[in-house]
């Protein structure tokens, strides 16, 4: 009911994020929205700083073709190779991602939810995944009400917010999906050689 009464995509995704966070109690809950050629965080809860994902990455291509949630642990056990690129895997690892939930708008991936492991230590059961599938379907149908420009502007605003709290170099690195460890190592090395 609350999702149906939301007044814009930011309100819709915030309500979804808050309710998923309260219900499932994941270590992190990040909802990404399309922002030009990337997917940027629109809602974030948890300790990790959420990076942006490229719009044409193997991860987003996989999410584009799915409607059901992806349990990353189960998926990696069943498949010999997870079809994500190294940058995508590193970003998901930095978030501690356990489940991905795609939400489409007009047949295109408009948003996706990244949920970390449950704080209780419990695993995501089939009933949890069924609930998440219903939530994704509801988010997808509600996103149909809002224009793409509005969704883009809200994702861009979240990126600008991130830049206020994280140094510009770090924010740019996160947005591009690059590994922070490599940047820290390079920074230390440059500082030592001066």
């Amino acid at each position: 009911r609350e999702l149906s009464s939301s007044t814009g995509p930011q309100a819709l995704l915030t309500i979804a994020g808050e309710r998923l966070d309260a219900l499932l109690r994941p270590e992190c809950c990040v909802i990404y929205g399309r922002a030009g050629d990337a997917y940027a965080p629109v809602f974030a809860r948890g300790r990790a700083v959420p990076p942006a994902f490229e719009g044409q990455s193997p991860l987003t291509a996989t999410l584009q073709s799915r409607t059901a949630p992806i349990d990353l642990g189960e998926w990696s056990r069943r498949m010999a190779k997870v079809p994500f690129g190294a940058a995508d895997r590193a970003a998901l690892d930095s978030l501690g991602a356990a489940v991905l939930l795609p939400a489409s708008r007009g047949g295109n991936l408009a948003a996706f939810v990244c949920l970390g492991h449950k704080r209780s230590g419990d695993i995501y059961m089939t009933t949890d995944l069924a609930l998440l599938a219903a939530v994704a379907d509801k988010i997808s149908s509600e996103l149909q009400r809002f224009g793409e420009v509005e969704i883009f502007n809200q994702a861009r605003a979240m990126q600008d917010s991130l830049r206020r709290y994280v140094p510009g170099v770090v924010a740019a690195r996160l947005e591009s999906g690059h590994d922070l460890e490599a940047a820290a190592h390079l920074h230390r090395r440059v500082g030592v050689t001066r």
Side-chain angles (χ1 to χ4, degrees):
R1 208 170 347 151
E2 288 178 274
L3 293 177
S4 296
S5 63
S6 58
T7 57
Q10 179 68 43
L12 170 73
L13 297 175
T14 298
I15 289 168
E18 288 172 349
R19 297 305 175 263
L20 288 171
D21 184 58
L23 180 65
L24 298 171
R25 299 182 38 79
E27 291 176 357
C28 80
C29 177
V30 182
I31 301 181
Y32 287 90
R34 183 82 185 197
D37 293 338
Y39 287 87
V42 177
F43 174 88
R45 283 258 167 90
R47 290 177 283 167
V49 177
F53 288 91
E54 291 180 24
Q56 300 301 319
S57 72
L59 170 68
T60 56
T62 300
L63 290 170
Q64 173 71 35
S65 67
R66 299 207 28 117
T67 56
I70 298 173
D71 179 337
L72 293 172
E74 179 63 27
W75 218 40
S76 63
R77 281 189 290 277
R78 286 185 309 154
M79 301 179 77
K81 184 179 179 201
V82 177
F84 305 151
D88 291 335
R89 283 194 311 272
L92 292 173
D93 288 345
S94 74
L95 292 171
V99 174
L100 298 175
L101 182 64
S104 297
R105 181 177 177 273
N108 295 314
L109 182 66
F112 66 92
V113 180
C114 177
L115 296 171
H117 296 279
K118 290 184 180 182
R119 291 188 296 249
S120 65
D122 294 338
I123 62 169
Y124 286 92
M125 305 297 290
T126 54
T127 53
D128 295 327
L129 297 175
L131 167 72
L132 290 171
V135 169
D137 185 56
K138 183 63 174 174
I139 290 171
S140 294
S141 66
E142 292 301 320
L143 282 173
Q144 295 292 338
R145 294 188 298 136
F146 308 115
E148 184 131 345
V149 171
E150 191 173 357
I151 295 168
F152 172 80
N153 288 339
Q154 302 225 342
R156 187 59 72 191
M158 181 66 162
Q159 280 182 314
D160 293 342
S161 252
L162 175 66
R163 287 181 182 279
R164 276 186 256 150
Y165 298 105
V166 177
V169 174
V170 174
R173 201 145 177 92
L174 288 169
E175 285 176 10
S176 68
H178 288 94
D179 186 8
L180 288 178
E181 278 300 312
H185 177 69
L186 179 61
H187 188 66
R188 281 192 302 269
R189 192 171 168 171
V190 168
V192 170
T193 59
R194 283 188 188 169

